[in-house]
Amino acid sequence: MCDREKDEINYRYFSFDVQGSLPSTYDLRKQTYAPVLKDQQSTGGCWAFSTTTVLETYAKKKLNVNEVYSTRHIEYSSTRAFLNNTYNEDGYNRVLGSGGNAYMSGNYLINGKGPILESEMPFKNNENAIDINEIKNKNVALDVNNIALIEGSGVCSASEIEDIKRYVYENGAVFTTTYMTLSTSYYNKTNYAYYYNGSNDSNHAITIVGWDDNFSRTKFSSYNRPKSNGAWIVQNSYGSSFGENGYYYLSYEDVLTCSAYMSITDVDTTIEDNNYVLDKLGYNAFMGYGELSDGVTTAYGMNVFNKTSGREEVLKEVAFGSNGTGSYKIYYKEGNASTTSVSNMRLIGSGTISHSGYITHKLSSPITIGKNVTSFSIAVFYDMDVTIRPVPVSANIHQKYQYMTAGPKTSYLSSNGTSWTDLNSGTDKIIASIKAYTDDVDYDFAIENKKVTYDNNVNVKITTNTRNIDSENMSIV
């Protein structure tokens, strides 16, 4: 088993605008994009196993990509300490094998650290410390854009049951958690039926792969039965020896299913060249200006990114954290825009926010960032439906985040988009959850009026009339 480390993060859930009725039973195992069964063995990587199953079923269903992704890379990439007193700045302050959660794996995916193929870092039945170079220079296989991270009250409401069904039906498997025990009070091993209604917190990540509205309540433990029929079809990470060849049935009335669940809702295969990410650990708190009495649900967040190359780049995507449903606008400006208003920035995108988690906006007209530009600013205006703290941030307020880094004049908050507060002017470290993704510019050009001369040492000199060529990085073959 593996523990889910809980953060004090409050999420809203939302309901789909249901288009068409869902069937009374649905099972991914019977589809062409059936999940791959896995076994975590003695490791604590259940959360990583659930994450890869969610991603793999989406990739099969939506992209026709049939691959298995590395759970070991998720586990180690999310950890700080490595051999030889080296540290991973993108890792949490956690012990290997101590368990994780969907927020950690969601951050791993949205920041472009993975996934990588299983063949690049295969599973091993241990969680020994390794050299940090073993997680570096891997080939990211997919570009994960949108991730729904939903936290509710625990027992699924009718609308949450419909939401999870829709996620499974449209996107593939769904990550959730449970309190796992094989006590006969909760588990009927004859019918592979599980129902927990105790007071313990979640200690295990599992994967919903379908449902059966007619699964009889009488199939659950005679010592402890739910009030109504209905069960989720769940893939465990204990291999085929557990349950019904690795699967079991979880009552809709289980008290932990809707504590937190995750669905991946948009992925593509185009990997951008550069990831500009300041909130390396993802968001774990929210900020805003409203009070419950005044209902202010708007605010601006802004990050300033130092350009990492001396060449021209093209801004393709902007991603940001979400704390519910609403709408957004995205602004861009070269340099640090904290001394100006968003009215003097370039509006580069807008849209609706349909879920908490992470949203990626793909620019319809990519922005060219010149080779001489040394920094650029991205601001996001959040206009949320309910929450009075609309701006997701990463903050060193939890033990796992205590080593996060944040410098002054890098991340800002504003109530009006005109005056900006530096989030790192004091002792706290806080970063708005806003990210940018760019491609390097590769020139295609034709050489005209070519003249070739030779010196006495037979060195070749080529003269062209072509402009805008980065001569330091140009090669001729």
Side-chain angles (χ1 to χ4, degrees):
M1 297 184 187
C2 61
D3 293 330
R4 169 177 170 265
E5 299 178 15
K6 297 186 69 177
D7 284 328
E8 296 173 11
I9 304 177
N10 295 317
Y11 290 86
R12 289 187 65 246
Y13 68 85
F14 74 102
S15 296
F16 285 95
D17 293 327
V18 178
Q19 299 177 353
S21 60
L22 292 167
S24 61
T25 183
Y26 182 75
D27 191 342
L28 287 177
R29 294 176 296 177
K30 299 178 181 179
Q31 312 302 319
T32 56
Y33 38 89
V36 175
L37 187 65
K38 302 173 183 178
D39 189 349
Q40 70 183 79
Q41 298 184 46
S42 62
T43 71
C46 57
W47 62 287
F49 280 80
S50 183
T51 301
T52 56
T53 298
V54 171
L55 187 58
E56 287 159 9
T57 54
Y58 182 99
K60 287 180 184 179
K61 178 177 175 62
K62 294 296 189 72
L63 305 176
N64 197 30
V65 172
N66 188 3
E67 297 286 0
V68 176
Y69 301 106
S70 172
T71 58
R72 190 170 172 86
H73 191 252
I74 297 176
E75 170 77 30
Y76 282 85
S77 294
S78 301
T79 303
R80 174 175 166 79
F82 285 76
L83 289 177
N84 304 316
N85 295 317
T86 55
Y87 296 95
N88 172 23
E89 290 187 358
D90 295 354
Y92 300 89
N93 182 34
R94 59 183 290 271
V95 177
L96 284 167
S98 62
N101 54 49
Y103 319 122
M104 291 165 57
S105 55
N107 174 64
Y108 164 87
L109 295 172
I110 199 69
N111 283 359
K113 291 185 284 187
I116 69 169
L117 297 180
E118 171 71 10
S119 58
E120 283 213 63
M121 194 169 182
F123 172 77
K124 295 181 180 180
N125 188 26
N126 67 68
E127 288 156 332
N128 301 332
I130 62 174
D131 190 286
I132 195 170
N133 290 315
E134 291 190 43
I135 67 170
K136 293 184 175 181
N137 301 317
K138 303 297 185 182
N139 296 310
V140 176
L142 293 174
D143 181 29
V144 178
N145 299 306
N146 291 349
I147 303 172
L149 285 164
I150 316 297
E151 187 159 328
S153 58
V155 180
C156 295
S157 65
S159 63
E160 287 174 312
I161 290 174
E162 287 300 305
D163 289 350
I164 294 176
K165 286 181 178 179
R166 184 67 63 179
Y167 278 131
V168 173
Y169 193 75
E170 294 185 351
N171 300 308
V174 167
F175 179 121
T176 191
T177 60
T178 190
Y179 178 76
M180 197 70 199
T181 172
L182 299 184
S183 166
T184 55
S185 296
Y186 305 111
Y187 182 56
N188 184 328
K189 65 179 181 180
T190 301
N191 299 318
Y192 321 112
Y194 191 84
Y195 167 53
Y196 182 74
N197 61 347
S199 58
N200 290 316
D201 288 333
S202 303
N203 69 350
H204 187 53
I206 53 177
T207 315
I208 296 174
V209 299
W211 67 86
D212 183 355
D213 290 342
N214 300 314
F215 192 88
S216 175
R217 61 178 294 275
T218 63
K219 291 185 176 182
F220 293 92
S221 170
S222 59
Y223 303 106
N224 186 40
R225 284 178 174 156
K227 296 178 181 178
S228 303
N229 297 339
W232 302 111
I233 302 171
V234 171
Q235 182 192 79
N236 207 348
S237 52
Y238 294 166
S240 59
S241 61
F242 176 85
E244 185 181 63
N245 299 315
Y247 295 81
Y248 68 100
Y249 299 86
L250 177 69
S251 171
Y252 288 161
E253 297 175 23
D254 188 273
V255 297
L256 293 168
T257 303
C258 283
S259 296
Y261 56 93
M262 178 182 76
S263 173
I264 293 172
T265 62
D266 183 66
V267 179
D268 62 57
T269 57
T270 302
I271 312 298
E272 282 70 40
D273 295 326
N274 308 294
N275 299 345
Y276 289 94
V277 177
L278 299 181
D279 61 318
K280 295 180 181 296
L281 303 182
Y283 69 87
N284 65 333
F286 307 100
M287 299 185 73
Y289 292 90
E291 298 294 340
L292 289 175
S293 58
D294 58 34
V296 175
T297 60
T298 61
Y300 294 80
M302 181 170 68
N303 282 350
V304 181
F305 302 98
N306 291 324
K307 192 155 159 284
T308 55
S309 72
R311 61 182 300 171
E312 193 169 88
E313 298 178 22
V314 177
L315 177 64
K316 304 290 288 294
E317 298 178 352
V318 173
F320 54 90
S322 164
N323 186 24
T325 61
S327 63
Y328 66 88
K329 293 180 181 178
I330 302 173
Y331 300 86
Y332 169 86
K333 187 175 179 60
E334 292 180 1
N336 187 323
S338 64
T339 59
T340 189
S341 167
V342 291
S343 61
N344 296 319
M345 300 178 72
R346 181 176 176 180
L347 177 63
I348 61 174
S350 61
T352 59
I353 301 174
S354 59
H355 55 72
S356 56
Y358 290 102
I359 307 292
T360 295
H361 180 92
K362 300 178 182 180
L363 275 66
S364 57
S365 298
I367 306 298
T368 299
I369 307 174
K371 62 178 293 186
N372 295 322
V373 174
T374 58
S375 65
F376 61 93
S377 301
I378 301 287
V380 177
F381 171 62
Y382 301 82
D383 187 357
M384 307 304 288
D385 293 335
V386 175
T387 179
I388 60 173
R389 294 181 177 85
V391 183
V393 298
S394 184
N396 63 337
I397 57 176
H398 300 300
Q399 179 267 337
K400 287 201 299 294
Y401 293 76
Q402 70 182 82
Y403 294 112
M404 62 167 281
T405 58
K409 299 182 179 181
T410 57
S411 194
Y412 299 85
L413 192 72
S414 175
S415 63
N416 53 21
T418 299
S419 58
W420 298 91
T421 299
D422 186 345
L423 292 176
N424 293 287
S425 59
T427 57
D428 292 333
K429 298 186 185 302
I430 305 172
I431 305 171
S433 185
I434 301 171
K435 315 156 197 291
Y437 304 89
T438 72
D439 277 340
D440 295 329
V441 174
D442 295 317
Y443 291 100
D444 293 322
F445 63 94
I447 298 177
E448 299 176 358
N449 300 327
K450 181 173 65 175
K451 184 172 85 171
V452 180
T453 58
Y454 300 86
D455 62 19
N456 291 332
N457 295 318
V458 198
N459 292 316
V460 180
K461 179 181 179 182
I462 298 177
T463 305
T464 82
N465 68 349
T466 307
R467 294 177 297 172
N468 297 324
I469 302 304
D470 187 348
S471 59
E472 292 182 357
N473 294 307
M474 181 177 70
S475 62
I476 299 176
V477 294

